[in-house]
Amino acid sequence: MAFLNIPKGKSEFEKIRREGLYYVDKTGLIGEILKSSGTQVTLITRPRRFGKTLGMSTLECFLDIQKDSKSLFEGLEISKQKGICDAWMNQWPVMSLSLKAVEGNDFSTAYEQFAYEIGELYKKHEYLMQSSVLNEEEKKLFWNIAYKHAGKVEVMRSLQILSEFLNRHYHKNVILLIDEYDVPMAKATSNGYYKEMLEIMKGFMQALKDNPYLQLAVVTGCLKIAKESIFTGTNNFVSNTITSSHLNEYYGFVQSEVDKILEDAGIKGKKEVIKKWYDGFVFGGKKDIYNPWSITNFLDKRKIDIYWANTSSNSLIGHLIQRGNSAIKEAMEDLLSGKELVTEIDEQIVFDQLDDNMTAIWSLLLSSGYLKINQAPKDAAASNQNYHLSLTNHEVDVMFRRMIDGWFKKYTPNYNAFVKALLADDVRAMNHYINRIALETFSFFDTGKGPSASAEPERFYHGFVLGLMVDLQDKYHITSNRESGFGRYDIMLEPVEIGQSDAIILEFKVIDPESEADLNATVNSALEQIRHKQYDAQLLARGFRPDQIRAYGFDLAEI
């Protein structure tokens, strides 16, 4: 195998080029953005670790008036576009910052991080403190913002202020590059300070609205936050998302690039497994887009593993699925079983509506790269606006299985004991452990507590099903709340092969004191429901004998 000097974890274009690290040429992105002269603000959303930060660093290096970058771009795609190079290369003052680190368990911590990043941006232009175009009051304001002595209003208006100062110093308008713009809002949603951070971001992003000192702006992130939330009033605004048909070859690796990388690395016989694990992303109808982070890590370690799924916290995704209603967990069951999800999509994410909006949740998973589009509506005028979605690739599948497995780690002794008793047909042990598990995990899955509660025990058993799917995936097909006979069973475990082991039907009941005298009555009611509604009809039709089907009813009275 050949050695490739892989820029693992490095996203600074200048450093990659000066150090002679392996580079896949994506500089055509520069020309595509700059030739759209009528667009003042471009929002580009792609999943994390897909080259957005490197793309922004490349733009900064190309445009920044403080740099001399010609040698770094020699031989690359953009160097062939002489007109663009003459008009734009190192000709413009650039304000470039990333909001990736703006997070915290509370608002005050996140705001401190935010003010720090603004201060670092100002320090890049500290030469303005010596500029004759700023008076003493303006220099004091600049210093206060740079060293975190400014008030909230000054911090919120900091981009507008700095763009004016740079315009006066250079007599040119300013290029604004904001990377990972959506991180503060995503973290705020996860940690409960959404409204406070929204106020800050609204004021901060006003620099994109009617700013006379702005030449153009490029904003990147994973999600398209609803225009009403942050981009209110932004003019000449174009968004480029994963359903758009533009710029798709510049984020992630396309098939020809992966083939060339593997050839350069001298890696043979791995194409199919690499494709299974790291391919599958679909942007704007363009297929066979590979995860660049995973490919880079594979080249570094020379082994197939989960890389991208472990790059940052999946707390928001995990929270939404874990606390989601039964329909969300049912959909996850289908996705983990290799089935498609058919749903409408709204790419404009409103964070404070995620808990109650299933369309928003699937849109979030799609924009984040966890789902891929297998079929899209023909156009916006089509009567059917449903998308057909599935898990993106094997790496994502394994990520979700590990996430679900992690939900039950805390409850492993009782959970494992119940599964063992279930497979062994040990009714006494099952009764002993089921209520322990339910008692421990009901609040975890945010379930209802009584027979009339909107969720009843559904949120529990759907979360429970996902756990069973992870643990027993090699032996059983596991489904929940599906039609069979004359009703819908709670949980069914169908052996992968008939005769390998018994099929199992589980029915959960919360005791109803108005119609059931005691716990035995509740259990008997559950069993009678299984028999009366013929929940075993599906299994019998598939060739199982009655003696190969076991049915259990459980009361959850202690919850």
Side-chain angles (χ1 to χ4, degrees):
M1 291 187 181
F3 172 74
L4 294 185
N5 201 358
I6 301 296
K8 182 191 171 188
K10 293 184 178 179
S11 52
E12 295 176 337
F13 175 81
E14 184 173 353
K15 183 175 289 188
I16 289 171
R17 295 292 286 167
R18 292 198 187 284
E19 295 180 6
L21 304 180
Y22 191 86
Y23 177 68
V24 177
D25 188 358
K26 299 286 186 179
T27 58
L29 172 70
I30 299 170
E32 290 296 320
I33 289 176
L34 297 181
K35 72 182 183 183
S36 302
S37 57
T39 301
Q40 189 175 37
V41 180
T42 300
L43 170 66
I44 301 171
T45 63
R46 293 295 186 278
R48 56 193 168 82
R49 298 291 193 178
F50 258 74
K52 299 187 300 295
T53 299
L54 177 56
M56 294 292 258
S57 175
T58 307
L59 277 167
E60 179 184 9
C61 192
F62 184 84
L63 295 165
D64 195 348
I65 199 170
Q66 296 185 78
K67 298 180 183 293
D68 182 5
S69 307
K70 185 176 181 179
S71 63
L72 300 177
F73 289 93
E74 287 180 358
L76 299 179
E77 180 65 29
I78 190 60
S79 66
K80 301 173 186 176
Q81 302 182 43
K82 189 175 184 302
I84 286 179
C85 290
D86 290 344
W88 293 89
M89 185 181 285
N90 303 134
Q91 297 293 314
W92 300 88
V94 174
M95 299 189 302
S96 177
L97 80 159
S98 171
L99 301 182
K100 178 170 57 179
V102 179
E103 59 176 295
N105 292 329
D106 53 64
F107 174 69
S108 61
T109 303
Y111 180 77
E112 281 291 309
Q113 296 274 17
F114 186 81
Y116 174 83
E117 294 298 336
I118 299 301
E120 292 303 295
L121 169 64
Y122 267 61
K123 289 172 187 175
K124 291 180 184 177
H125 301 281
E126 201 154 11
Y127 56 85
L128 290 174
M129 289 291 289
Q130 310 303 320
S131 176
S132 60
V133 302
L134 269 64
N135 60 38
E136 292 305 312
E137 196 66 28
E138 290 169 331
K139 289 178 181 179
K140 181 179 179 181
L141 173 60
F142 183 99
W143 189 90
N144 283 340
I145 296 174
Y147 292 94
K148 298 200 303 181
H149 294 289
K152 185 169 74 171
V153 172
E154 286 83 2
V155 170
M156 291 166 63
R157 302 288 291 173
S158 56
L159 291 182
Q160 186 90 18
I161 293 167
L162 185 56
S163 62
E164 179 184 352
F165 290 173
L166 288 169
N167 171 271
R168 283 157 52 187
H169 181 79
Y170 287 107
H171 304 290
K172 287 189 171 186
N173 278 357
V174 173
I175 308 290
L176 174 59
L177 307 175
I178 304 176
D179 191 30
E180 305 282 10
Y181 88 103
D182 54 334
V183 168
M185 293 306 305
K187 298 298 183 181
T189 302
S190 294
N191 293 304
Y193 50 90
Y194 170 84
K195 290 183 179 179
E196 294 90 336
M197 185 56 73
L198 179 60
E199 178 189 12
I200 297 297
M201 290 301 296
K202 274 187 172 180
F204 184 66
M205 301 299 271
Q206 284 296 302
L208 303 176
K209 176 188 174 184
D210 297 327
N211 184 346
Y213 312 109
L214 183 66
Q215 183 68 23
L216 67 85
V218 180
V219 182
T220 68
C222 292
L223 308 173
K224 181 181 178 182
I225 300 177
K227 189 173 181 179
E228 292 74 22
S229 296
I230 286 183
F231 296 110
T232 305
T234 303
N235 299 318
N236 299 319
F237 175 88
V238 171
S239 60
N240 187 283
T241 69
I242 64 170
T243 63
S244 304
S245 58
H246 191 44
L247 306 181
N248 292 318
E249 65 268 37
Y250 301 115
Y251 296 97
F253 294 149
V254 299
Q255 187 66 58
S256 59
E257 291 169 338
V258 172
D259 291 344
K260 180 68 164 59
I261 291 169
L262 296 179
E263 180 184 343
D264 291 344
I267 296 173
K268 299 178 181 179
K270 293 284 188 180
K271 281 189 178 181
E272 290 305 312
V273 69
I274 288 171
K275 189 175 188 67
K276 175 183 177 181
W277 275 76
Y278 307 131
D279 187 14
F281 294 87
V282 179
F283 299 155
K286 186 175 183 61
K287 299 181 179 181
D288 289 325
I289 296 178
Y290 287 73
N291 187 318
W293 178 256
S294 298
I295 293 292
T296 300
N297 278 271
F298 167 76
L299 292 170
D300 180 54
K301 295 181 172 61
R302 301 297 171 111
K303 70 173 184 175
I304 296 291
D305 204 345
I306 298 176
Y307 298 113
W308 180 68
N310 293 330
T311 55
S312 68
S313 170
N314 294 305
S315 59
L316 180 57
I317 299 294
H319 169 84
L320 292 171
I321 297 172
Q322 171 193 316
R323 299 284 182 176
N325 58 32
S326 59
I328 290 170
K329 292 188 176 70
E330 277 183 44
M332 282 305 303
E333 293 167 28
D334 285 342
L335 289 167
L336 288 168
S337 298
K339 298 176 183 177
E340 283 190 332
L341 168 68
V342 180
T343 181
E344 291 186 350
I345 289 297
D346 183 357
E347 290 186 283
Q348 300 219 42
I349 303 297
V350 181
F351 278 108
D352 63 347
Q353 294 179 8
L354 284 173
D355 282 330
D356 304 314
N357 189 331
M358 284 185 62
T359 298
I361 292 174
W362 303 129
S363 302
L364 175 66
L365 265 69
L366 176 63
S367 297
S368 300
Y370 300 111
L371 299 177
K372 66 178 178 181
I373 298 173
N374 298 323
Q375 182 180 324
K378 291 182 179 180
D379 53 55
S383 58
N384 185 345
Q385 289 297 306
N386 283 335
Y387 286 77
H388 292 244
L389 310 175
S390 63
L391 294 181
T392 303
N393 54 32
H394 192 61
E395 184 179 26
V396 171
D397 182 283
V398 175
M399 181 210 79
F400 275 118
R401 292 180 187 277
R402 289 189 180 181
M403 177 189 293
I404 292 164
D405 191 46
W407 295 348
F408 289 91
K409 289 292 185 190
K410 181 178 178 182
Y411 317 111
T412 294
N414 288 327
Y415 174 74
N416 287 348
F418 174 82
V419 172
K420 184 177 179 181
L422 175 66
L423 300 183
D425 193 20
D426 187 341
V427 176
R428 182 175 181 181
M430 278 190 277
N431 282 326
H432 176 72
Y433 289 112
I434 188 61
N435 272 301
R436 288 192 180 188
I437 298 168
L439 186 62
E440 290 173 332
T441 61
F442 254 50
S443 61
F444 184 73
F445 291 114
D446 192 29
T447 184
K449 293 186 177 182
S452 61
S454 60
E456 296 186 331
E458 286 184 351
R459 294 197 187 196
F460 159 69
Y461 73 68
H462 281 295
F464 187 58
V465 167
L466 290 173
L468 290 174
M469 290 184 73
V470 171
D471 286 342
L472 302 177
Q473 58 185 307
D474 296 331
K475 297 179 180 179
Y476 292 90
H477 298 303
I478 301 171
T479 53
S480 69
N481 199 32
R482 302 301 199 268
E483 289 187 4
S484 182
F486 300 102
R488 303 175 76 90
Y489 55 80
D490 281 351
I491 301 176
M492 181 181 289
L493 287 77
E494 181 182 343
V496 173
E497 296 181 15
I498 296 177
Q500 181 185 48
S501 53
D502 289 345
I504 300 171
I505 301 172
L506 307 179
E507 188 70 20
F508 294 94
K509 287 285 188 181
V510 175
I511 190 169
D512 186 349
E514 293 184 5
S515 61
E516 296 160 357
D518 53 29
L519 301 183
N520 286 332
T522 303
V523 172
N524 289 331
S525 173
L527 291 172
E528 177 58 28
Q529 183 170 320
I530 294 173
R531 288 189 291 268
H532 178 69
K533 295 193 175 182
Q534 299 178 24
Y535 288 161
D536 59 359
Q538 176 180 306
L539 295 169
L540 293 170
R542 291 179 181 172
F544 286 87
R545 301 190 311 269
D547 63 313
Q548 293 176 316
I549 302 171
R550 288 191 266 136
Y552 301 102
F554 295 96
D555 73 83
L556 299 176
E558 296 180 25
I559 309 308

